[in-house]
Amino acid sequence: MDYFLSKYKQACQQEFEDRGFKSYRNNRYRVVNDVFQSFNLHRSVSGNAATVEFLAVPLADEYISKSRCGPDHLKLFENEWVWFPYENKNEESIEECIKQMVYYTQKYLMPFFEATCSCIKIYNQLQGDKYIRFLQQAKRNAALKVKDWELANHYLNEEIEQIRSAIVASKKNSNNIDFIKSMEEQCQKKIEVKQEFQRHITDKDFLFFEKWIEMNETNSLRSLKWKTV
């Protein structure tokens, strides 16, 4: 294990071990109530900058795994896109970089995790839009968990529009007719699946979603090998 990774993992163990996070490669994850949370060390290819990415999603999301994390990173809490710089061969510089990331994690990320440690709390954050943006699917599933059918339908419509935007982008960025046709077919299948799902929302199909949420939460816990008390 290289010096940076060794020092980072050591710092995480000291600072966050008592918060219930488990470790998988560079990712640390936990289940709190009905929510999955994770944060992941990401270093630049050039080896002169690093950041910590993070994620908070309902446990009912379909793609929960030990390695899953999100695209948002620590400096976004201050509306900055930059990472934390360091000199790759300088141990003092590496330690200062890690110190800064741990500081930001304590100052911003842990409070964020506390504010999103249940679907109802995520739902409440959606109303105020106080924190970093959530994935569309996560927002939709949090709304489903609290049975806000109108909001869930709104986010699902946004998911469908994102897929349609991907089709438009592929036409703009490629002259390959076969690629565009394949892209359109794939996207149309995704849209049809989401529209079928949307019909259950429109019908306020309580029994369908009760079973769907229970199944996904069970599958997530099984994937994570997470034992609930």
Side-chain angles (χ1 to χ4, degrees), residues 59-94:
L59 194 61
D61 269 29
E62 294 95 324
Y63 308 107
I64 302 295
S65 69
K66 296 177 182 179
S67 60
R68 186 177 177 191
C69 199
D72 290 324
H73 54 88
L74 292 176
K75 283 293 185 79
L76 288 177
F77 283 110
E78 295 182 344
N79 294 318
E80 295 183 7
W81 289 90
V82 297
W83 290 13
F84 300 85
Y86 68 94
E87 296 175 25
N88 195 28
K89 303 296 184 180
N90 187 321
E91 293 185 358
E92 184 177 343
S93 176
I94 289 172

mmCIF file of all heavy atoms in Angstrom, residues 59-94:
data_model
loop_
_atom_site.group_PDB
_atom_site.id
_atom_site.type_symbol
_atom_site.label_atom_id
_atom_site.label_comp_id
_atom_site.label_asym_id
_atom_site.label_seq_id
_atom_site.Cartn_x
_atom_site.Cartn_y
_atom_site.Cartn_z
ATOM 1 N N LEU A 59 -32.113 2.957 0.607
ATOM 2 C CA LEU A 59 -31.687 1.564 0.510
ATOM 3 C C LEU A 59 -32.490 0.825 -0.559
ATOM 4 O O LEU A 59 -32.060 -0.213 -1.057
ATOM 5 C CB LEU A 59 -31.857 0.881 1.869
ATOM 6 C CG LEU A 59 -31.187 -0.465 2.097
ATOM 7 C CD1 LEU A 59 -29.676 -0.362 1.952
ATOM 8 C CD2 LEU A 59 -31.557 -1.023 3.469
ATOM 9 N N ALA A 60 -33.627 1.389 -0.927
ATOM 10 C CA ALA A 60 -34.486 0.777 -1.949
ATOM 11 C C ALA A 60 -33.985 1.014 -3.366
ATOM 12 O O ALA A 60 -34.588 0.510 -4.314
ATOM 13 C CB ALA A 60 -35.913 1.297 -1.817
ATOM 14 N N ASP A 61 -32.910 1.791 -3.539
ATOM 15 C CA ASP A 61 -32.341 1.948 -4.881
ATOM 16 C C ASP A 61 -31.934 0.578 -5.428
ATOM 17 O O ASP A 61 -31.528 -0.299 -4.673
ATOM 18 C CB ASP A 61 -31.115 2.869 -4.832
ATOM 19 C CG ASP A 61 -31.502 4.322 -5.053
ATOM 20 O OD1 ASP A 61 -32.645 4.671 -4.703
ATOM 21 O OD2 ASP A 61 -30.682 5.100 -5.562
ATOM 22 N N GLU A 62 -31.993 0.457 -6.741
ATOM 23 C CA GLU A 62 -31.769 -0.863 -7.348
ATOM 24 C C GLU A 62 -30.308 -1.267 -7.461
ATOM 25 O O GLU A 62 -30.027 -2.436 -7.729
ATOM 26 C CB GLU A 62 -32.388 -0.893 -8.759
ATOM 27 C CG GLU A 62 -33.899 -0.777 -8.770
ATOM 28 C CD GLU A 62 -34.406 0.643 -8.975
ATOM 29 O OE1 GLU A 62 -33.759 1.574 -8.465
ATOM 30 O OE2 GLU A 62 -35.438 0.800 -9.645
ATOM 31 N N TYR A 63 -29.368 -0.359 -7.253
ATOM 32 C CA TYR A 63 -27.971 -0.675 -7.567
ATOM 33 C C TYR A 63 -27.035 -0.449 -6.378
ATOM 34 O O TYR A 63 -25.968 0.130 -6.520
ATOM 35 C CB TYR A 63 -27.510 0.170 -8.765
ATOM 36 C CG TYR A 63 -28.424 0.074 -9.945
ATOM 37 C CD1 TYR A 63 -29.257 1.132 -10.302
ATOM 38 C CD2 TYR A 63 -28.490 -1.103 -10.705
ATOM 39 C CE1 TYR A 63 -30.123 1.035 -11.383
ATOM 40 C CE2 TYR A 63 -29.352 -1.201 -11.779
ATOM 41 C CZ TYR A 63 -30.169 -0.132 -12.119
ATOM 42 O OH TYR A 63 -31.022 -0.237 -13.188
ATOM 43 N N ILE A 64 -27.414 -0.906 -5.206
ATOM 44 C CA ILE A 64 -26.580 -0.747 -4.019
ATOM 45 C C ILE A 64 -25.498 -1.832 -3.990
ATOM 46 O O ILE A 64 -25.781 -3.013 -4.175
ATOM 47 C CB ILE A 64 -27.425 -0.849 -2.731
ATOM 48 C CG1 ILE A 64 -28.541 0.204 -2.736
ATOM 49 C CG2 ILE A 64 -26.548 -0.704 -1.495
ATOM 50 C CD1 ILE A 64 -28.052 1.619 -2.703
ATOM 51 N N SER A 65 -24.261 -1.419 -3.761
ATOM 52 C CA SER A 65 -23.158 -2.368 -3.622
ATOM 53 C C SER A 65 -22.091 -1.755 -2.730
ATOM 54 O O SER A 65 -22.107 -0.549 -2.450
ATOM 55 C CB SER A 65 -22.552 -2.716 -4.994
ATOM 56 O OG SER A 65 -21.875 -1.591 -5.530
ATOM 57 N N LYS A 66 -21.135 -2.568 -2.282
ATOM 58 C CA LYS A 66 -20.070 -2.102 -1.396
ATOM 59 C C LYS A 66 -19.197 -1.042 -2.052
ATOM 60 O O LYS A 66 -18.593 -0.214 -1.373
ATOM 61 C CB LYS A 66 -19.189 -3.280 -0.968
ATOM 62 C CG LYS A 66 -19.893 -4.322 -0.132
ATOM 63 C CD LYS A 66 -18.954 -5.478 0.188
ATOM 64 C CE LYS A 66 -19.665 -6.571 0.982
ATOM 65 N NZ LYS A 66 -18.745 -7.704 1.270
ATOM 66 N N SER A 67 -19.113 -1.054 -3.363
ATOM 67 C CA SER A 67 -18.228 -0.127 -4.080
ATOM 68 C C SER A 67 -18.947 1.117 -4.581
ATOM 69 O O SER A 67 -18.316 2.024 -5.120
ATOM 70 C CB SER A 67 -17.571 -0.834 -5.269
ATOM 71 O OG SER A 67 -18.566 -1.299 -6.178
ATOM 72 N N ARG A 68 -20.260 1.180 -4.378
ATOM 73 C CA ARG A 68 -21.009 2.297 -4.961
ATOM 74 C C ARG A 68 -20.736 3.602 -4.218
ATOM 75 O O ARG A 68 -20.716 3.653 -2.992
ATOM 76 C CB ARG A 68 -22.515 2.021 -4.945
ATOM 77 C CG ARG A 68 -23.282 3.118 -5.672
ATOM 78 C CD ARG A 68 -24.752 2.868 -5.752
ATOM 79 N NE ARG A 68 -25.415 4.003 -6.389
ATOM 80 C CZ ARG A 68 -26.734 4.169 -6.423
ATOM 81 N NH1 ARG A 68 -27.529 3.273 -5.883
ATOM 82 N NH2 ARG A 68 -27.252 5.236 -7.002
ATOM 83 N N CYS A 69 -20.517 4.656 -4.977
ATOM 84 C CA CYS A 69 -20.380 6.001 -4.431
ATOM 85 C C CYS A 69 -20.941 6.974 -5.466
ATOM 86 O O CYS A 69 -21.442 6.562 -6.516
ATOM 87 C CB CYS A 69 -18.930 6.321 -4.086
ATOM 88 S SG CYS A 69 -18.775 7.708 -2.926
ATOM 89 N N GLY A 70 -20.885 8.261 -5.157
ATOM 90 C CA GLY A 70 -21.483 9.245 -6.052
ATOM 91 C C GLY A 70 -20.460 10.178 -6.664
ATOM 92 O O GLY A 70 -19.277 10.146 -6.326
ATOM 93 N N PRO A 71 -20.893 11.069 -7.556
ATOM 94 C CA PRO A 71 -19.981 11.991 -8.233
ATOM 95 C C PRO A 71 -19.686 13.262 -7.438
ATOM 96 O O PRO A 71 -18.725 13.963 -7.731
ATOM 97 C CB PRO A 71 -20.738 12.340 -9.514
ATOM 98 C CG PRO A 71 -22.187 12.243 -9.108
ATOM 99 C CD PRO A 71 -22.256 11.126 -8.105
ATOM 100 N N ASP A 72 -20.522 13.586 -6.460
ATOM 101 C CA ASP A 72 -20.310 14.818 -5.696
ATOM 102 C C ASP A 72 -19.107 14.684 -4.771
ATOM 103 O O ASP A 72 -18.832 13.595 -4.249
ATOM 104 C CB ASP A 72 -21.554 15.156 -4.877
ATOM 105 C CG ASP A 72 -22.707 15.606 -5.753
ATOM 106 O OD1 ASP A 72 -22.447 16.279 -6.761
ATOM 107 O OD2 ASP A 72 -23.864 15.282 -5.431
ATOM 108 N N HIS A 73 -18.395 15.796 -4.548
ATOM 109 C CA HIS A 73 -17.183 15.728 -3.734
ATOM 110 C C HIS A 73 -17.141 16.893 -2.751
ATOM 111 O O HIS A 73 -17.945 17.835 -2.823
ATOM 112 C CB HIS A 73 -15.931 15.692 -4.613
ATOM 113 C CG HIS A 73 -15.842 16.813 -5.588
ATOM 114 N ND1 HIS A 73 -15.272 18.031 -5.293
ATOM 115 C CD2 HIS A 73 -16.277 16.914 -6.877
ATOM 116 C CE1 HIS A 73 -15.329 18.831 -6.341
ATOM 117 N NE2 HIS A 73 -15.937 18.177 -7.327
ATOM 118 N N LEU A 74 -16.199 16.840 -1.814
ATOM 119 C CA LEU A 74 -16.204 17.691 -0.638
ATOM 120 C C LEU A 74 -16.274 19.188 -0.916
ATOM 121 O O LEU A 74 -17.012 19.918 -0.252
ATOM 122 C CB LEU A 74 -14.968 17.399 0.219
ATOM 123 C CG LEU A 74 -14.941 16.031 0.894
ATOM 124 C CD1 LEU A 74 -13.621 15.849 1.634
ATOM 125 C CD2 LEU A 74 -16.116 15.864 1.859
ATOM 126 N N LYS A 75 -15.486 19.688 -1.871
ATOM 127 C CA LYS A 75 -15.438 21.130 -2.097
ATOM 128 C C LYS A 75 -16.771 21.684 -2.627
ATOM 129 O O LYS A 75 -17.010 22.898 -2.574
ATOM 130 C CB LYS A 75 -14.309 21.475 -3.070
ATOM 131 C CG LYS A 75 -12.904 21.453 -2.465
ATOM 132 C CD LYS A 75 -12.732 22.566 -1.438
ATOM 133 C CE LYS A 75 -11.317 22.662 -0.898
ATOM 134 N NZ LYS A 75 -10.376 23.336 -1.793
ATOM 135 N N LEU A 76 -17.654 20.801 -3.113
ATOM 136 C CA LEU A 76 -18.946 21.271 -3.589
ATOM 137 C C LEU A 76 -19.801 21.838 -2.463
ATOM 138 O O LEU A 76 -20.732 22.613 -2.712
ATOM 139 C CB LEU A 76 -19.701 20.143 -4.299
ATOM 140 C CG LEU A 76 -19.148 19.742 -5.663
ATOM 141 C CD1 LEU A 76 -19.928 18.571 -6.244
ATOM 142 C CD2 LEU A 76 -19.178 20.917 -6.628
ATOM 143 N N PHE A 77 -19.490 21.455 -1.224
ATOM 144 C CA PHE A 77 -20.209 22.058 -0.103
ATOM 145 C C PHE A 77 -19.948 23.560 -0.031
ATOM 146 O O PHE A 77 -20.718 24.307 0.574
ATOM 147 C CB PHE A 77 -19.797 21.399 1.211
ATOM 148 C CG PHE A 77 -20.421 20.054 1.441
ATOM 149 C CD1 PHE A 77 -19.652 18.897 1.396
ATOM 150 C CD2 PHE A 77 -21.775 19.932 1.698
ATOM 151 C CE1 PHE A 77 -20.220 17.657 1.612
ATOM 152 C CE2 PHE A 77 -22.360 18.697 1.901
ATOM 153 C CZ PHE A 77 -21.578 17.551 1.865
ATOM 154 N N GLU A 78 -18.851 24.000 -0.618
ATOM 155 C CA GLU A 78 -18.527 25.429 -0.676
ATOM 156 C C GLU A 78 -18.663 25.963 -2.102
ATOM 157 O O GLU A 78 -18.116 27.004 -2.448
ATOM 158 C CB GLU A 78 -17.102 25.667 -0.157
ATOM 159 C CG GLU A 78 -16.945 25.333 1.328
ATOM 160 C CD GLU A 78 -15.555 25.610 1.856
ATOM 161 O OE1 GLU A 78 -14.620 25.774 1.036
ATOM 162 O OE2 GLU A 78 -15.405 25.678 3.082
ATOM 163 N N ASN A 79 -19.403 25.199 -2.931
ATOM 164 C CA ASN A 79 -19.660 25.592 -4.323
ATOM 165 C C ASN A 79 -18.372 25.753 -5.132
ATOM 166 O O ASN A 79 -18.276 26.624 -6.003
ATOM 167 C CB ASN A 79 -20.476 26.888 -4.376
ATOM 168 C CG ASN A 79 -21.876 26.711 -3.830
ATOM 169 O OD1 ASN A 79 -22.534 25.713 -4.109
ATOM 170 N ND2 ASN A 79 -22.324 27.661 -3.026
ATOM 171 N N GLU A 80 -17.388 24.921 -4.854
ATOM 172 C CA GLU A 80 -16.147 24.913 -5.609
ATOM 173 C C GLU A 80 -15.953 23.532 -6.240
ATOM 174 O O GLU A 80 -16.258 22.512 -5.628
ATOM 175 C CB GLU A 80 -14.954 25.236 -4.702
ATOM 176 C CG GLU A 80 -14.971 26.643 -4.129
ATOM 177 C CD GLU A 80 -13.733 26.929 -3.293
ATOM 178 O OE1 GLU A 80 -12.823 26.083 -3.273
ATOM 179 O OE2 GLU A 80 -13.692 27.992 -2.668
ATOM 180 N N TRP A 81 -15.410 23.524 -7.452
ATOM 181 C CA TRP A 81 -15.205 22.266 -8.169
ATOM 182 C C TRP A 81 -13.789 21.725 -7.992
ATOM 183 O O TRP A 81 -13.493 20.617 -8.430
ATOM 184 C CB TRP A 81 -15.510 22.453 -9.655
ATOM 185 C CG TRP A 81 -16.966 22.628 -9.923
ATOM 186 C CD1 TRP A 81 -17.664 23.810 -9.964
ATOM 187 C CD2 TRP A 81 -17.930 21.601 -10.145
ATOM 188 N NE1 TRP A 81 -18.993 23.584 -10.214
ATOM 189 C CE2 TRP A 81 -19.194 22.227 -10.328
ATOM 190 C CE3 TRP A 81 -17.854 20.205 -10.209
ATOM 191 C CZ2 TRP A 81 -20.365 21.510 -10.580
ATOM 192 C CZ3 TRP A 81 -19.022 19.498 -10.464
ATOM 193 C CH2 TRP A 81 -20.255 20.147 -10.642
ATOM 194 N N VAL A 82 -12.923 22.474 -7.355
ATOM 195 C CA VAL A 82 -11.516 22.072 -7.242
ATOM 196 C C VAL A 82 -11.338 20.931 -6.240
ATOM 197 O O VAL A 82 -12.188 20.696 -5.378
ATOM 198 C CB VAL A 82 -10.634 23.266 -6.814
ATOM 199 C CG1 VAL A 82 -10.681 24.349 -7.866
ATOM 200 C CG2 VAL A 82 -11.094 23.816 -5.459
ATOM 201 N N TRP A 83 -10.207 20.217 -6.379
ATOM 202 C CA TRP A 83 -9.838 19.155 -5.453
ATOM 203 C C TRP A 83 -8.769 19.673 -4.490
ATOM 204 O O TRP A 83 -8.455 20.862 -4.491
ATOM 205 C CB TRP A 83 -9.327 17.950 -6.233
ATOM 206 C CG TRP A 83 -10.400 17.215 -7.005
ATOM 207 C CD1 TRP A 83 -11.670 17.662 -7.260
ATOM 208 C CD2 TRP A 83 -10.288 15.941 -7.610
ATOM 209 N NE1 TRP A 83 -12.363 16.735 -7.995
ATOM 210 C CE2 TRP A 83 -11.543 15.665 -8.221
ATOM 211 C CE3 TRP A 83 -9.273 15.003 -7.709
ATOM 212 C CZ2 TRP A 83 -11.782 14.477 -8.905
ATOM 213 C CZ3 TRP A 83 -9.510 13.824 -8.394
ATOM 214 C CH2 TRP A 83 -10.750 13.564 -8.986
ATOM 215 N N PHE A 84 -8.206 18.760 -3.712
ATOM 216 C CA PHE A 84 -7.176 19.114 -2.742
ATOM 217 C C PHE A 84 -5.803 18.765 -3.320
ATOM 218 O O PHE A 84 -5.506 17.593 -3.570
ATOM 219 C CB PHE A 84 -7.394 18.346 -1.428
ATOM 220 C CG PHE A 84 -8.718 18.641 -0.783
ATOM 221 C CD1 PHE A 84 -9.864 17.953 -1.162
ATOM 222 C CD2 PHE A 84 -8.819 19.616 0.205
ATOM 223 C CE1 PHE A 84 -11.093 18.224 -0.571
ATOM 224 C CE2 PHE A 84 -10.043 19.893 0.804
ATOM 225 C CZ PHE A 84 -11.183 19.194 0.414
ATOM 226 N N PRO A 85 -4.942 19.754 -3.544
ATOM 227 C CA PRO A 85 -3.638 19.503 -4.181
ATOM 228 C C PRO A 85 -2.618 18.905 -3.212
ATOM 229 O O PRO A 85 -2.724 19.087 -1.986
ATOM 230 C CB PRO A 85 -3.211 20.892 -4.634
ATOM 231 C CG PRO A 85 -3.839 21.808 -3.633
ATOM 232 C CD PRO A 85 -5.157 21.188 -3.263
ATOM 233 N N TYR A 86 -1.636 18.213 -3.750
ATOM 234 C CA TYR A 86 -0.510 17.705 -2.961
ATOM 235 C C TYR A 86 0.650 17.383 -3.889
ATOM 236 O O TYR A 86 0.468 17.202 -5.097
ATOM 237 C CB TYR A 86 -0.906 16.476 -2.146
ATOM 238 C CG TYR A 86 -1.221 15.236 -2.967
ATOM 239 C CD1 TYR A 86 -0.241 14.274 -3.224
ATOM 240 C CD2 TYR A 86 -2.502 15.017 -3.485
ATOM 241 C CE1 TYR A 86 -0.534 13.132 -3.965
ATOM 242 C CE2 TYR A 86 -2.804 13.890 -4.226
ATOM 243 C CZ TYR A 86 -1.809 12.952 -4.467
ATOM 244 O OH TYR A 86 -2.088 11.828 -5.205
ATOM 245 N N GLU A 87 1.843 17.287 -3.322
ATOM 246 C CA GLU A 87 3.027 16.877 -4.071
ATOM 247 C C GLU A 87 3.238 15.390 -3.845
ATOM 248 O O GLU A 87 3.408 14.941 -2.705
ATOM 249 C CB GLU A 87 4.249 17.668 -3.597
ATOM 250 C CG GLU A 87 4.139 19.163 -3.860
ATOM 251 C CD GLU A 87 5.316 19.917 -3.273
ATOM 252 O OE1 GLU A 87 6.402 19.301 -3.106
ATOM 253 O OE2 GLU A 87 5.164 21.112 -2.965
ATOM 254 N N ASN A 88 3.260 14.649 -4.924
ATOM 255 C CA ASN A 88 3.236 13.190 -4.843
ATOM 256 C C ASN A 88 4.423 12.586 -4.097
ATOM 257 O O ASN A 88 4.294 11.553 -3.445
ATOM 258 C CB ASN A 88 3.166 12.609 -6.256
ATOM 259 C CG ASN A 88 2.780 11.151 -6.243
ATOM 260 O OD1 ASN A 88 2.086 10.679 -5.341
ATOM 261 N ND2 ASN A 88 3.239 10.415 -7.242
ATOM 262 N N LYS A 89 5.568 13.209 -4.170
ATOM 263 C CA LYS A 89 6.772 12.660 -3.547
ATOM 264 C C LYS A 89 7.071 13.301 -2.183
ATOM 265 O O LYS A 89 8.079 12.983 -1.558
ATOM 266 C CB LYS A 89 7.977 12.871 -4.464
ATOM 267 C CG LYS A 89 7.824 12.269 -5.860
ATOM 268 C CD LYS A 89 7.716 10.759 -5.823
ATOM 269 C CE LYS A 89 7.660 10.185 -7.243
ATOM 270 N NZ LYS A 89 7.547 8.706 -7.231
ATOM 271 N N ASN A 90 6.194 14.151 -1.734
ATOM 272 C CA ASN A 90 6.423 14.902 -0.503
ATOM 273 C C ASN A 90 5.474 14.423 0.589
ATOM 274 O O ASN A 90 4.267 14.678 0.539
ATOM 275 C CB ASN A 90 6.217 16.396 -0.784
ATOM 276 C CG ASN A 90 6.598 17.268 0.393
ATOM 277 O OD1 ASN A 90 6.356 16.929 1.546
ATOM 278 N ND2 ASN A 90 7.186 18.422 0.100
ATOM 279 N N GLU A 91 6.004 13.706 1.585
ATOM 280 C CA GLU A 91 5.165 13.134 2.632
ATOM 281 C C GLU A 91 4.443 14.207 3.442
ATOM 282 O O GLU A 91 3.284 14.037 3.830
ATOM 283 C CB GLU A 91 6.004 12.241 3.554
ATOM 284 C CG GLU A 91 6.513 10.987 2.859
ATOM 285 C CD GLU A 91 7.245 10.060 3.808
ATOM 286 O OE1 GLU A 91 7.392 10.419 5.003
ATOM 287 O OE2 GLU A 91 7.671 8.974 3.366
ATOM 288 N N GLU A 92 5.121 15.308 3.693
ATOM 289 C CA GLU A 92 4.491 16.399 4.444
ATOM 290 C C GLU A 92 3.314 16.979 3.671
ATOM 291 O O GLU A 92 2.255 17.283 4.251
ATOM 292 C CB GLU A 92 5.522 17.492 4.731
ATOM 293 C CG GLU A 92 4.983 18.616 5.599
ATOM 294 C CD GLU A 92 6.041 19.649 5.930
ATOM 295 O OE1 GLU A 92 7.244 19.355 5.778
ATOM 296 O OE2 GLU A 92 5.655 20.761 6.355
ATOM 297 N N SER A 93 3.467 17.127 2.362
ATOM 298 C CA SER A 93 2.394 17.640 1.520
ATOM 299 C C SER A 93 1.225 16.660 1.477
ATOM 300 O O SER A 93 0.058 17.064 1.524
ATOM 301 C CB SER A 93 2.918 17.877 0.095
ATOM 302 O OG SER A 93 1.875 18.281 -0.762
ATOM 303 N N ILE A 94 1.514 15.383 1.408
ATOM 304 C CA ILE A 94 0.481 14.348 1.407
ATOM 305 C C ILE A 94 -0.309 14.387 2.706
ATOM 306 O O ILE A 94 -1.547 14.347 2.715
ATOM 307 C CB ILE A 94 1.108 12.959 1.197
ATOM 308 C CG1 ILE A 94 1.600 12.820 -0.255
ATOM 309 C CG2 ILE A 94 0.113 11.853 1.531
ATOM 310 C CD1 ILE A 94 2.397 11.562 -0.508
#
